[in-house]
PDB file of all heavy atoms in Angstrom:
ATOM      1  N   VAL A 402      64.057  48.205 -63.317  1.00 81.00           N
ATOM      2  CA  VAL A 402      64.964  47.908 -64.413  1.00 81.00           C
ATOM      3  C   VAL A 402      66.292  48.569 -64.105  1.00 81.00           C
ATOM      4  O   VAL A 402      66.364  49.766 -63.862  1.00 81.00           O
ATOM      5  CB  VAL A 402      64.384  48.409 -65.746  1.00 81.00           C
ATOM      6  CG1 VAL A 402      65.371  48.188 -66.861  1.00 81.00           C
ATOM      7  CG2 VAL A 402      63.089  47.699 -66.034  1.00 81.00           C
ATOM      8  N   VAL A 403      67.320  47.748 -64.072  1.00 76.00           N
ATOM      9  CA  VAL A 403      68.640  48.252 -63.721  1.00 76.00           C
ATOM     10  C   VAL A 403      69.233  49.008 -64.896  1.00 76.00           C
ATOM     11  O   VAL A 403      69.116  48.589 -66.049  1.00 76.00           O
ATOM     12  CB  VAL A 403      69.562  47.065 -63.338  1.00 76.00           C
ATOM     13  CG1 VAL A 403      70.955  47.552 -63.023  1.00 76.00           C
ATOM     14  CG2 VAL A 403      68.988  46.310 -62.171  1.00 76.00           C
ATOM     15  N   GLY A 404      69.866  50.114 -64.586  1.00 68.00           N
ATOM     16  CA  GLY A 404      70.579  50.850 -65.628  1.00 68.00           C
ATOM     17  C   GLY A 404      69.724  51.891 -66.309  1.00 68.00           C
ATOM     18  O   GLY A 404      70.221  52.708 -67.056  1.00 68.00           O
ATOM     19  N   GLN A 405      68.420  51.868 -66.056  1.00 63.00           N
ATOM     20  CA  GLN A 405      67.551  52.869 -66.652  1.00 63.00           C
ATOM     21  C   GLN A 405      67.326  53.977 -65.639  1.00 63.00           C
ATOM     22  O   GLN A 405      67.202  53.702 -64.441  1.00 63.00           O
ATOM     23  CB  GLN A 405      66.207  52.239 -66.993  1.00 63.00           C
ATOM     24  CG  GLN A 405      65.999  52.079 -68.472  1.00 63.00           C
ATOM     25  CD  GLN A 405      64.615  51.554 -68.751  1.00 63.00           C
ATOM     26  OE1 GLN A 405      63.741  51.597 -67.902  1.00 63.00           O
ATOM     27  NE2 GLN A 405      64.431  51.057 -69.941  1.00 63.00           N
ATOM     28  N   LEU A 406      67.245  55.193 -66.089  1.00 60.00           N
ATOM     29  CA  LEU A 406      66.973  56.337 -65.223  1.00 60.00           C
ATOM     30  C   LEU A 406      67.901  56.348 -64.018  1.00 60.00           C
ATOM     31  O   LEU A 406      67.501  56.642 -62.901  1.00 60.00           O
ATOM     32  CB  LEU A 406      65.510  56.294 -64.737  1.00 60.00           C
ATOM     33  CG  LEU A 406      64.442  56.102 -65.815  1.00 60.00           C
ATOM     34  CD1 LEU A 406      63.145  55.664 -65.183  1.00 60.00           C
ATOM     35  CD2 LEU A 406      64.238  57.377 -66.607  1.00 60.00           C
ATOM     36  N   GLY A 407      69.109  55.917 -64.235  1.00 60.00           N
ATOM     37  CA  GLY A 407      70.103  55.947 -63.179  1.00 60.00           C
ATOM     38  C   GLY A 407      69.840  54.983 -62.047  1.00 60.00           C
ATOM     39  O   GLY A 407      70.373  55.140 -60.951  1.00 60.00           O
ATOM     40  N   GLU A 408      68.978  53.984 -62.275  1.00 63.00           N
ATOM     41  CA  GLU A 408      68.724  52.996 -61.227  1.00 63.00           C
ATOM     42  C   GLU A 408      69.964  52.137 -61.041  1.00 63.00           C
ATOM     43  O   GLU A 408      70.478  51.577 -61.998  1.00 63.00           O
ATOM     44  CB  GLU A 408      67.553  52.091 -61.618  1.00 63.00           C
ATOM     45  CG  GLU A 408      66.217  52.778 -61.598  1.00 63.00           C
ATOM     46  CD  GLU A 408      65.582  52.773 -60.229  1.00 63.00           C
ATOM     47  OE1 GLU A 408      66.311  52.632 -59.223  1.00 63.00           O
ATOM     48  OE2 GLU A 408      64.358  52.920 -60.154  1.00 63.00           O
ATOM     49  N   SER A 409      70.416  52.037 -59.814  1.00 67.00           N
ATOM     50  CA  SER A 409      71.557  51.166 -59.581  1.00 67.00           C
ATOM     51  C   SER A 409      71.046  49.816 -59.107  1.00 67.00           C
ATOM     52  O   SER A 409      69.886  49.659 -58.774  1.00 67.00           O
ATOM     53  CB  SER A 409      72.471  51.782 -58.527  1.00 67.00           C
ATOM     54  OG  SER A 409      71.770  51.852 -57.315  1.00 67.00           O
ATOM     55  N   GLY A 410      71.912  48.859 -59.092  1.00 72.00           N
ATOM     56  CA  GLY A 410      71.520  47.526 -58.650  1.00 72.00           C
ATOM     57  C   GLY A 410      71.999  46.487 -59.628  1.00 72.00           C
ATOM     58  O   GLY A 410      72.694  46.790 -60.590  1.00 72.00           O
ATOM     59  N   LEU A 411      71.612  45.272 -59.337  1.00 77.00           N
ATOM     60  CA  LEU A 411      72.027  44.157 -60.172  1.00 77.00           C
ATOM     61  C   LEU A 411      70.785  43.444 -60.652  1.00 77.00           C
ATOM     62  O   LEU A 411      69.792  43.395 -59.940  1.00 77.00           O
ATOM     63  CB  LEU A 411      72.810  43.166 -59.318  1.00 77.00           C
ATOM     64  CG  LEU A 411      74.301  43.357 -59.127  1.00 77.00           C
ATOM     65  CD1 LEU A 411      74.796  42.368 -58.108  1.00 77.00           C
ATOM     66  CD2 LEU A 411      75.015  43.143 -60.441  1.00 77.00           C
ATOM     67  N   PRO A 412      70.837  42.878 -61.853  1.00 82.00           N
ATOM     68  CA  PRO A 412      69.698  42.051 -62.237  1.00 82.00           C
ATOM     69  C   PRO A 412      69.697  40.781 -61.393  1.00 82.00           C
ATOM     70  O   PRO A 412      70.754  40.305 -60.995  1.00 82.00           O
ATOM     71  CB  PRO A 412      69.972  41.736 -63.697  1.00 82.00           C
ATOM     72  CG  PRO A 412      71.446  41.871 -63.846  1.00 82.00           C
ATOM     73  CD  PRO A 412      71.880  42.912 -62.870  1.00 82.00           C
ATOM     74  N   GLY A 413      68.526  40.265 -61.106  1.00 86.00           N
ATOM     75  CA  GLY A 413      68.463  39.039 -60.325  1.00 86.00           C
ATOM     76  C   GLY A 413      67.297  39.058 -59.347  1.00 86.00           C
ATOM     77  O   GLY A 413      66.459  39.956 -59.385  1.00 86.00           O
ATOM     78  N   ILE A 414      67.265  38.033 -58.512  1.00 89.00           N
ATOM     79  CA  ILE A 414      66.230  37.954 -57.486  1.00 89.00           C
ATOM     80  C   ILE A 414      66.895  38.223 -56.152  1.00 89.00           C
ATOM     81  O   ILE A 414      67.855  37.540 -55.786  1.00 89.00           O
ATOM     82  CB  ILE A 414      65.596  36.554 -57.450  1.00 89.00           C
ATOM     83  CG1 ILE A 414      64.927  36.255 -58.782  1.00 89.00           C
ATOM     84  CG2 ILE A 414      64.605  36.431 -56.324  1.00 89.00           C
ATOM     85  CD1 ILE A 414      64.219  34.930 -58.777  1.00 89.00           C
ATOM     86  N   PHE A 415      66.410  39.201 -55.455  1.00 90.00           N
ATOM     87  CA  PHE A 415      66.978  39.544 -54.157  1.00 90.00           C
ATOM     88  C   PHE A 415      65.900  39.389 -53.097  1.00 90.00           C
ATOM     89  O   PHE A 415      64.864  40.033 -53.177  1.00 90.00           O
ATOM     90  CB  PHE A 415      67.520  40.974 -54.175  1.00 90.00           C
ATOM     91  CG  PHE A 415      68.696  41.116 -55.089  1.00 90.00           C
ATOM     92  CD1 PHE A 415      68.510  41.205 -56.460  1.00 90.00           C
ATOM     93  CD2 PHE A 415      69.984  41.105 -54.593  1.00 90.00           C
ATOM     94  CE1 PHE A 415      69.589  41.294 -57.329  1.00 90.00           C
ATOM     95  CE2 PHE A 415      71.081  41.202 -55.445  1.00 90.00           C
ATOM     96  CZ  PHE A 415      70.881  41.293 -56.816  1.00 90.00           C
ATOM     97  N   VAL A 416      66.157  38.528 -52.164  1.00 92.00           N
ATOM     98  CA  VAL A 416      65.172  38.281 -51.111  1.00 92.00           C
ATOM     99  C   VAL A 416      65.748  38.766 -49.785  1.00 92.00           C
ATOM    100  O   VAL A 416      66.799  38.301 -49.356  1.00 92.00           O
ATOM    101  CB  VAL A 416      64.838  36.777 -51.011  1.00 92.00           C
ATOM    102  CG1 VAL A 416      63.797  36.529 -49.932  1.00 92.00           C
ATOM    103  CG2 VAL A 416      64.360  36.247 -52.346  1.00 92.00           C
ATOM    104  N   THR A 417      65.074  39.723 -49.185  1.00 93.00           N
ATOM    105  CA  THR A 417      65.516  40.232 -47.889  1.00 93.00           C
ATOM    106  C   THR A 417      64.522  39.768 -46.844  1.00 93.00           C
ATOM    107  O   THR A 417      63.320  39.960 -47.010  1.00 93.00           O
ATOM    108  CB  THR A 417      65.533  41.777 -47.911  1.00 93.00           C
ATOM    109  OG1 THR A 417      66.212  42.194 -49.082  1.00 93.00           O
ATOM    110  CG2 THR A 417      66.224  42.326 -46.693  1.00 93.00           C
ATOM    111  N   TYR A 418      64.996  39.117 -45.828  1.00 93.00           N
ATOM    112  CA  TYR A 418      64.055  38.639 -44.806  1.00 93.00           C
ATOM    113  C   TYR A 418      64.407  39.186 -43.436  1.00 93.00           C
ATOM    114  O   TYR A 418      65.568  39.440 -43.125  1.00 93.00           O
ATOM    115  CB  TYR A 418      64.000  37.107 -44.787  1.00 93.00           C
ATOM    116  CG  TYR A 418      65.336  36.433 -44.590  1.00 93.00           C
ATOM    117  CD1 TYR A 418      65.809  36.137 -43.310  1.00 93.00           C
ATOM    118  CD2 TYR A 418      66.126  36.100 -45.691  1.00 93.00           C
ATOM    119  CE1 TYR A 418      67.043  35.538 -43.137  1.00 93.00           C
ATOM    120  CE2 TYR A 418      67.358  35.500 -45.516  1.00 93.00           C
ATOM    121  CZ  TYR A 418      67.810  35.228 -44.241  1.00 93.00           C
ATOM    122  OH  TYR A 418      69.021  34.643 -44.063  1.00 93.00           O
ATOM    123  N   GLU A 419      63.356  39.379 -42.661  1.00 92.00           N
ATOM    124  CA  GLU A 419      63.499  39.880 -41.293  1.00 92.00           C
ATOM    125  C   GLU A 419      62.690  38.972 -40.407  1.00 92.00           C
ATOM    126  O   GLU A 419      61.658  38.456 -40.822  1.00 92.00           O
ATOM    127  CB  GLU A 419      62.867  41.267 -41.205  1.00 92.00           C
ATOM    128  CG  GLU A 419      63.816  42.419 -41.310  1.00 92.00           C
ATOM    129  CD  GLU A 419      63.026  43.705 -41.341  1.00 92.00           C
ATOM    130  OE1 GLU A 419      62.272  43.960 -40.387  1.00 92.00           O
ATOM    131  OE2 GLU A 419      63.143  44.421 -42.346  1.00 92.00           O
ATOM    132  N   LEU A 420      63.109  38.814 -39.176  1.00 90.00           N
ATOM    133  CA  LEU A 420      62.334  37.962 -38.275  1.00 90.00           C
ATOM    134  C   LEU A 420      61.490  38.804 -37.350  1.00 90.00           C
ATOM    135  O   LEU A 420      61.946  39.812 -36.825  1.00 90.00           O
ATOM    136  CB  LEU A 420      63.264  37.058 -37.483  1.00 90.00           C
ATOM    137  CG  LEU A 420      63.516  35.777 -38.262  1.00 90.00           C
ATOM    138  CD1 LEU A 420      64.917  35.691 -38.718  1.00 90.00           C
ATOM    139  CD2 LEU A 420      63.089  34.590 -37.462  1.00 90.00           C
ATOM    140  N   SER A 421      60.274  38.377 -37.183  1.00 91.00           N
ATOM    141  CA  SER A 421      59.371  39.103 -36.296  1.00 91.00           C
ATOM    142  C   SER A 421      59.629  38.671 -34.853  1.00 91.00           C
ATOM    143  O   SER A 421      59.896  37.504 -34.586  1.00 91.00           O
ATOM    144  CB  SER A 421      57.935  38.785 -36.694  1.00 91.00           C
ATOM    145  OG  SER A 421      57.097  38.903 -35.599  1.00 91.00           O
ATOM    146  N   PRO A 422      59.564  39.614 -33.916  1.00 90.00           N
ATOM    147  CA  PRO A 422      59.745  39.227 -32.517  1.00 90.00           C
ATOM    148  C   PRO A 422      58.512  38.528 -31.958  1.00 90.00           C
ATOM    149  O   PRO A 422      58.567  37.903 -30.906  1.00 90.00           O
ATOM    150  CB  PRO A 422      59.979  40.563 -31.814  1.00 90.00           C
ATOM    151  CG  PRO A 422      59.346  41.573 -32.696  1.00 90.00           C
ATOM    152  CD  PRO A 422      59.414  41.054 -34.090  1.00 90.00           C
TER     153      PRO A 422
END
Side-chain angles (χ1 to χ4, degrees):
V402 176
V403 178
Q405 251 184 16
L406 310 163
E408 290 274 22
S409 64
L411 273 172
I414 298 183
F415 293 78
V416 181
T417 311
Y418 56 90
E419 262 175 58
L420 272 112
S421 152

